[in-house]
Amino acid sequence: MLGRLNSLIQFRHSPSFSSKVLRRQQFFGTKTLCFVGQDQMSSTLEADAESVLRLVTPSLDLKRHKGQAGKIAVIGGCREYTGAPYFAAISALKIGADLSHVFCTKDAAPVIKSYSPELIVHPLLEESYTVSEEERRKLQEKVVGEVDKWIERFDCLVIGPGLGRDPFLLECVSKIMLLARKFNLPFVVDGDGLFLVTNSIDLVNSYPLAVLTPNVNEYKRLVLKVLNCEVDEENPEDQLRSLAKVLGGVTILKKGRSDLISNGEIVKSVSIYGSPRRCGGQGDILSGSVAVFLSWAQQLISGHESLSENPAILGCIAASGLLRKAASLAFTKHKRSTLTSDIIACLGESLEGICPAS
Ligand SMILES: NC(=O)C1=CN([C@@H]2O[C@H](COP(=O)(O)OP(=O)(O)OC[C@H]3O[C@@H](n4cnc5c(N)ncnc54)[C@H](O)[C@@H]3O)[C@@H](O)[C@H]2O)[C@@H](O)CC1
Ligand SMILES: Nc1ncnc2c1ncn2[C@@H]1O[C@H](COP(=O)(O)OP(=O)(O)OP(=O)(O)O)[C@@H](O)[C@H]1O
Ligand SMILES: [Mg+2]
């Protein structure tokens, strides 16, 4: 059994993929899934996102307790932006995480708390305008110390949604990223977290549990900074693979008409569903979703020592497929007036359609 599971979700270019029916192990409950190897993780570019969703999504098991389905923390939310961290955090819960925290600035906290009692919001971060020069170092130690008390409880962080670009705040977040690396905690970097990382690439370099989710603008800036060239529209896969390789094997999800995913070795795309609506906030849904599916993929793999796949790639494929399905469903209902909150409201129905809970 293990050999078959192993061969089927190996991420090397293995031509030997073949169609098989797999019986899941106890830790996810016995669940039969059809994991068609050929058009899945083998050398074809397009991943079979729906099969990956079925593979990593755990069964609901009465024997499990609160927290086991995932504890996510979003680091983001400032005076300027409060929607993005909310979108990322609530998406994680709507998909199936048990707990979703937001670490944001004192200004943003009451606003985000007012959006939903489901989120645990920590008003710990600070922006420069609230801190005098002499207080900075001491306050930074305090902020990072407070986050440190929580950080080991989480399965994945999402760093950047609505973070803003305040230098003092970004310096604190840099230290939080180093803390996450010390604890081998996976993190998704999005939004202004990418602004931070693009200017301090060492924060993610050679960290295989880092996932970057750049949009068109953010990708352009990352390529310019790291590869010192313009985006190659003719051959995006090779350039993406090179970028991830130069960054030491981080996983990059390049968002666009098709989402392209690479860890510097393989490249996979997810083009299913999707919608023509480009309202702000969809990338925030994606970042929260990657965190949940990456955590579930890690649980799946940790239950099989012999498996060596990259949970970050699995998480990106699953999250992209689900978001695109939910966006398509929401667009069917709301057309031009589709909002990010409409897409969030479709996450549950979309996942249920691919991977029924009962
Ligand atoms: N409702 C909300 O609260 C939302 C907040 N969002 C947050 O808004 C913030 C900005 O996201 P965007 O998608 O607008 O960011 P982008 O980076 O796509 O663009 C922001 C603007 O700033 C410019 N810019 C960004 N970085 C730059 C750089 N290094 N040098 C020069 N110009 C630069 C861009 O060209 C653009 O004009 C992020 O933290 C994001 O999470 C968005 O996610 C959308 C929804
Ligand atoms: N042209 C497109 N056609 C179809 N789907 C798209 C297109 N562009 C983006 N998407 C989908 O929307 C998702 C979010 O991408 P987008 O570029 O909106 O992120 P973003 O700009 O970071 O969003 P946010 O406003 O949250 O910051 C992508 O993962 C992708 O699946
Ligand atoms: Mg974004």
Side-chain angles (χ1 to χ4, degrees), residues 14 20 28 30 72 83 140 162 169 192 201 246 268 284 304 310 324 351:
S14 154
K20 294 198 179 172
F28 273 104
T30 47
I72 305 301
Q140 199 167 84
L169 176 51
D192 293 305
I201 215 70
V246 166
K268 285 293 165 192
D284 302 315
H304 295 82
N310 181 333
R324 296 174 74 95
L351 185 54

Side-chain angles (χ1 to χ4, degrees), residues 1-22 35-43 55 304 306-309 314:
M1 160 61 201
L2 259 188
R4 283 169 42 201
L5 182 63
N6 210 354
S7 67
L8 272 176
I9 52 180
Q10 279 301 326
F11 281 80
R12 286 183 279 282
H13 279 282
S14 154
S16 65
F17 273 160
S18 62
S19 309
K20 294 198 179 172
V21 175
L22 270 184
F35 195 41
V36 179
Q38 268 315 324
D39 51 359
Q40 192 143 35
M41 293 301 153
S42 60
S43 50
L55 178 76
H304 295 82
S306 63
L307 288 183
S308 59
E309 10 294 321
L314 275 171

Side-chain angles (χ1 to χ4, degrees), residues 81 159-165 170 189-197 218:
Y81 305 113
I159 298 173
L163 187 62
R165 297 195 183 122
L170 294 183
V189 185
D190 187 46
D192 293 305
L194 290 166
F195 174 82
L196 168 62
V197 157
E218 294 149 349

Side-chain angles (χ1 to χ4, degrees), residues 187-190 209-213 250-253 290 294 312 316:
F187 53 70
V188 181
V189 185
D190 187 46
L209 290 175
V211 179
L212 311 185
T213 57
V250 301
T251 296
I252 303 175
L253 192 168
V290 171
L294 188 162
C316 286

Side-chain angles (χ1 to χ4, degrees), residues 72-78 81 84-86 88-89 100-105 108 112 120 122 124-126 143-144 146-148 150-151 154 156-164 169-177 179-180 185-194 196 284 287-288 291:
I72 305 301
V74 173
I75 316 276
C78 64
Y81 305 113
Y86 167 74
S100 198
H101 294 240
V102 177
F103 291 81
C104 61
T105 64
I112 301 170
I120 301 168
H122 307 265
L124 289 181
L125 306 181
E126 300 273 1
V143 167
V144 178
E146 288 297 316
V147 175
D148 190 12
W150 285 91
I151 202 161
F154 300 123
C156 190
L157 303 183
V158 182
I159 298 173
L163 187 62
L169 176 51
L170 294 183
E171 206 181 316
C172 286
V173 172
S174 307
K175 294 193 168 30
I176 292 169
M177 292 172 87
L179 209 52
L185 186 60
F187 53 70
V188 181
V189 185
D190 187 46
D192 293 305
L194 290 166
L196 168 62
D284 302 315
S287 61

